[in-house]
Amino acid sequence: MGISEAALHVVPGPAPRHFCSGLYINTSQLSIPSKPSGKYRKKKCSVNLRSQSNCMRVCGVWVINSRSESLKCRCQMTEDITGMTSNDGNGAWLKEPASKASQIFADVNSQKVIGLENGPAVAIDDKSVLAGSAKHAMHKKRGNSVEDEAWSLLQESVVYYCGSPVGTIAAKDPSDSNVLNYDQVFIRDFIPSGIAFLLKGEYEIVRNFILHTLQLQSWEKTMDCHSPGQGLMPASFKVRTVPLDGDDLATEEVLDPDFGEAAIGRVAPVDSGLWWIILLRAYGKCSGDLSVQERIDVQTGIKMILKLCLADGFDMFPTLLVTDGSCMIDRRMGIHGHPLEIQALFYSALLCAREMLAPEDGSADLIRALNNRLIALSFHIREYYWVDMRKLNEIYRYKTEEYSYDAVNKFNIYPDQISPWLVEWVPDKGGYFIGNLQPAHMDFRFFSLGNLWSIVSSLATVHQSHAILDLIEAKWSDLVADMPFKICYPALEGQEWRIITGSDPKNTPWSYHNGGAWPTLLWQLAVACIKMNRPEIAARAVEVAEKRIAADKWPEYYDTKQARFLGKQSRLHQTWSIAGFLVAKLLLDNPNAAKTLWNDEDAEILNALNIMGDPSNPRRKRGRKVLKKTYIV
């Protein structure tokens, strides 16, 4: 069977581990006997090409044969005297002689073999792409389909560790040699990639990602001799090849995590652990495999994240107190304190964790503390972060310097904080959650991820969720324009930009985090719209993106108020731009799949909120906790 014929017969299944010069072809699903006849003997596989990364994926260890100058792997394979090999249950391998390989390639005029930086070698032509990763076998090209191109690029971004896929790199921009840390696997960046794989039924990469990042949670991390609290998840990790102890001729692969000690700004990520819990639940929902979340080490990992987030401190509010740059907006943008994005992810992670925690005696106090926090957090956000025309009129007439439990203006907000842009911008129908709330300060900017995830997590009420989508429709030219979706609105400009960002040259007005447009936000928009039974809004946004995004080479973000220019420092082939587009398309094609990603409103929380919202309730007036007993987390 020629290679072109073989490619057409391959179906998703176990993928080849490497692609040697002898032309190994995965034949586990081809029409050949499951167990070839003949005698078998143990043999070490060897690769005579310079493609050490391909064979390294089998076991992660290399030995150099100085005589033959070939690279040998320490993995064991079984070889038949007839040339048929088996790799311990991962599919049969057909080895063609080099002369026959040449003949096979001659059968396909336009075909060639290329090596991928983060994946096995690929036999590619204008009809098919044969790629080697778990269940990532083949994606046929149909014309110039944007989706097919996106899938191909997503496959190329896969990172392997000891032969298994463990994530996707942040970007693979062929035009930029200064990669910085974009060649690493970021937890927040992998979320849309992981969901895309889950929706396609490719579960192995997500499972590996969850378990390997869990192992990094307990690593020692320091910054100037100071260590953060236990339970912190890394911002990113990289697969590195290092010399093997005691053997100068051998190497092994290791995972090298970054907890913020190497990042720009040296800020530890708060959202990584929250996203990890959300993805863990999505994995169980999509795959039906609950054994991962039931593992003792995974249960311990969930508890460590919760204890870190629920620990009592100096803060009086139920919201999670974080520093600037600790989330998707990872540079100084005036979001320190209690940014909406973190609160929405925090609420969602608490609900997901409560659903997955095993009902055991050791979890009882933690679950009670979790429930208390859920009730207080949802009331706080819904009551104090929400703005619409009615609320703005109320703030406009606030009295200040109020003291007592019955104060209306609890945070001593000065009416002069209502900016002229806000008066003109808020529509008569619609509303949104503000970006931040602190004493004497309301950040009235619209932050997209926080508002969209408030819908997804049910942090927003049904009425508020529809109002947010009403505002998006009413302000389409501001939030979507020529490329969805604005990360925040409006941009900081002039003296305000200089003071708040420190004159950050990357966050200039209408660029990057400061009002730039990020295509990855499409998938959160799709989940929110489908949940509220308004998928036409997301479909319209995807249609806008589809016109340009592939031609623009999948940039990280767009600049200018109408998102007409590629970001001035935007990486191309940005993986979460690719994955965000794919997830949005997959969900719009199969809306029922979105149910695995959102949280339904909890009846007990809703009942408690109704009690707290009752003006006659003494707990509301006095500001007392719902439960008198406190619990040690």
Side-chain angles (χ1 to χ4, degrees):
M1 181 182 294
I3 190 168
S4 59
E5 185 181 357
L8 294 175
H9 283 77
V10 176
V11 296
R17 299 280 186 155
H18 61 281
F19 203 105
C20 298
S21 59
L23 184 60
Y24 284 99
I25 303 173
N26 186 356
T27 60
S28 57
Q29 283 80 30
L30 303 184
S31 300
I32 60 175
S34 58
K35 184 176 181 180
S37 59
K39 297 181 180 179
Y40 292 80
R41 66 176 184 270
K42 287 289 184 180
K43 177 187 176 182
K44 290 185 177 182
C45 72
S46 63
V47 184
N48 292 320
L49 287 179
R50 299 183 184 91
S51 56
Q52 65 182 47
S53 60
N54 292 327
C55 195
M56 187 185 302
R57 294 191 187 95
V58 180
C59 68
V61 181
W62 275 96
V63 178
I64 299 178
N65 186 326
S66 58
R67 292 183 179 179
S68 63
E69 294 184 356
S70 64
L71 301 170
K72 291 186 177 181
C73 176
R74 290 186 177 178
C75 61
Q76 295 288 330
M77 300 184 67
T78 329
E79 185 181 33
D80 174 20
I81 58 175
T82 62
M84 185 68 68
T85 62
S86 172
N87 61 350
D88 298 331
N90 288 324
W93 292 84
L94 175 63
K95 183 179 181 183
E96 300 279 6
S99 59
K100 192 170 183 180
S102 302
Q103 181 181 354
I104 291 174
F105 280 106
D107 292 339
V108 186
N109 294 331
S110 61
Q111 196 165 11
K112 62 181 179 178
V113 174
I114 61 174
L116 299 182
E117 180 180 336
N118 289 291
V122 175
I124 182 170
D125 61 12
D126 58 347
K127 293 182 179 179
S128 65
V129 177
L130 182 59
S133 64
K135 293 188 178 180
H136 306 158
M138 181 176 65
H139 290 282
K140 295 181 181 179
K141 285 190 174 294
R142 299 182 294 274
N144 294 320
S145 169
V146 176
E147 285 183 74
D148 290 334
E149 179 184 337
W151 277 114
S152 178
L153 292 172
L154 186 60
Q155 303 292 348
E156 292 182 23
S157 72
V158 174
V159 174
Y160 294 84
Y161 172 63
C162 294
S164 300
V166 293
T168 53
I169 59 173
K172 195 173 184 180
D173 187 348
S175 64
D176 195 342
S177 58
N178 184 21
V179 296
L180 294 177
N181 56 356
Y182 281 81
D183 62 344
Q184 299 187 24
V185 180
F186 280 81
I187 288 187
R188 76 169 68 96
D189 289 41
F190 178 74
I191 301 304
S193 297
I195 292 172
F197 289 129
L198 290 177
L199 294 176
K200 293 291 282 187
E202 302 174 4
Y203 307 130
E204 182 191 4
I205 185 173
V206 181
R207 186 179 190 274
N208 292 339
F209 173 86
I210 289 170
L211 295 179
H212 281 300
T213 50
L214 176 66
Q215 293 174 356
L216 301 177
Q217 184 187 38
S218 59
W219 278 40
E220 183 180 352
K221 51 270 181 183
T222 60
M223 169 65 183
D224 295 338
C225 302
H226 175 73
S227 299
Q230 279 192 324
L232 184 69
M233 281 286 187
S236 62
F237 65 86
K238 186 172 183 176
V239 179
R240 298 189 186 276
T241 303
V242 299
L244 192 64
D245 292 340
D247 191 344
D248 296 336
L249 299 179
T251 60
E252 63 179 346
E253 288 181 331
V254 299
L255 295 179
D256 184 12
D258 175 17
F259 291 89
E261 66 268 36
I264 297 174
R266 303 302 191 265
V267 178
V270 177
D271 60 339
S272 291
L274 306 178
W275 277 124
W276 183 86
I277 290 176
I278 292 169
L279 182 64
L280 174 63
R281 173 182 178 266
Y283 171 81
K285 290 278 188 179
C286 289
S287 68
D289 177 17
L290 302 182
S291 64
V292 174
Q293 67 190 46
E294 292 171 353
R295 289 173 46 146
I296 295 177
D297 56 342
V298 174
Q299 288 283 311
T300 302
I302 296 173
K303 293 175 183 177
M304 288 176 66
I305 295 172
L306 293 179
K307 290 178 179 179
L308 181 65
C309 295
L310 293 172
D312 290 334
F314 293 98
D315 199 16
M316 285 292 294
F317 309 137
T319 42
L320 195 58
L321 178 64
V322 298
T323 187
D324 228 341
S326 59
C327 54
M328 179 181 176
I329 298 178
D330 56 4
R331 296 169 78 94
R332 181 176 165 189
M333 270 287 291
I335 63 168
H336 56 277
H338 308 89
L340 177 66
E341 175 186 332
I342 291 297
Q343 314 316 318
L345 292 175
F346 183 35
Y347 186 81
S348 181
L350 290 177
L351 288 174
C352 294
R354 187 179 65 174
E355 185 178 319
M356 295 185 293
L357 278 174
E360 56 186 25
D361 294 339
S363 301
D365 283 350
L366 182 61
I367 292 176
R368 279 192 289 267
L370 186 154
N371 284 328
N372 290 345
R373 192 62 166 265
L374 280 169
I375 294 171
L377 179 61
S378 55
F379 177 81
H380 186 87
I381 297 295
R382 294 177 181 185
E383 181 77 7
Y384 304 125
Y385 275 62
W386 182 255
V387 293
D388 53 16
M389 281 301 295
R390 183 197 64 80
K391 184 67 174 181
L392 283 177
N393 270 284
E394 179 182 318
I395 297 173
Y396 185 71
R397 295 172 56 83
Y398 266 168
K399 295 179 180 178
T400 58
E401 316 303 328
E402 290 185 300
Y403 174 82
S404 77
Y405 293 110
D406 299 323
V408 175
N409 186 3
K410 292 181 174 60
F411 298 92
N412 201 33
I413 303 300
Y414 300 103
D416 288 344
Q417 288 187 30
I418 301 178
S419 303
W421 74 265
L422 183 62
V423 176
E424 302 296 330
W425 195 70
V426 174
D428 292 333
K429 180 184 179 183
Y432 68 100
F433 289 122
I434 62 173
N436 214 327
L437 175 66
Q438 299 181 70
H441 174 68
M442 296 183 78
D443 186 347
F444 287 107
R445 286 176 292 176
F446 176 90
F447 286 89
S448 301
L449 178 54
N451 274 279
L452 293 175
W453 210 257
S454 293
I455 299 175
V456 174
S457 65
S458 291
L459 178 57
T461 65
V462 173
H463 169 75
Q464 288 171 338
S465 297
H466 279 294
I468 292 170
L469 297 181
D470 288 339
L471 180 135
I472 291 173
E473 284 193 304
K475 298 301 174 182
W476 189 265
S477 60
D478 292 330
L479 300 176
V480 178
D482 289 352
M483 178 58 66
F485 199 88
K486 277 282 185 295
I487 190 171
C488 69
Y489 186 92
L492 299 171
E493 299 181 280
Q495 189 69 9
E496 188 178 31
W497 165 75
R498 283 186 282 272
I499 294 173
I500 292 179
T501 73
S503 299
D504 186 349
K506 195 168 184 178
N507 272 331
T508 52
W510 307 109
S511 177
Y512 202 47
H513 300 135
N514 190 15
W518 293 69
T520 187
L521 293 170
L522 278 171
W523 77 271
Q524 288 102 332
L525 176 65
V527 179
C529 292
I530 292 171
K531 182 186 179 187
M532 303 314 299
N533 199 26
R534 297 170 70 172
E536 67 281 356
I537 300 176
R540 183 183 171 194
V542 169
E543 185 179 356
V544 171
E546 201 163 9
K547 293 177 181 178
R548 295 181 54 193
I549 193 167
D552 292 339
K553 300 181 180 178
W554 308 92
E556 180 182 13
Y557 63 95
Y558 286 79
D559 283 354
T560 74
K561 193 172 183 179
Q562 295 298 312
R564 298 184 65 189
F565 293 173
L566 271 67
K568 58 180 178 290
Q569 295 188 43
S570 178
R571 291 299 197 281
L572 303 182
H573 294 171
Q574 184 80 14
T575 303
W576 70 347
S577 295
I578 296 166
F581 172 82
L582 285 173
V583 172
K585 293 283 287 187
L586 288 168
L587 292 178
L588 289 172
D589 289 342
N590 182 19
N592 286 332
K595 294 179 181 179
T596 62
L597 300 175
W598 72 57
N599 304 103
D600 292 317
E601 188 160 35
D602 185 271
E604 293 183 9
I605 295 176
L606 185 61
N607 182 58
L609 292 178
N610 289 334
I611 295 175
M612 293 180 67
D614 184 357
S616 62
N617 178 23
R619 294 187 187 126
R620 174 185 170 97
K621 289 186 177 182
R622 300 277 306 172
R624 297 296 190 231
K625 289 185 177 181
V626 177
L627 297 177
K628 294 181 180 179
K629 184 179 178 181
T630 59
Y631 299 93
I632 298 175
V633 177

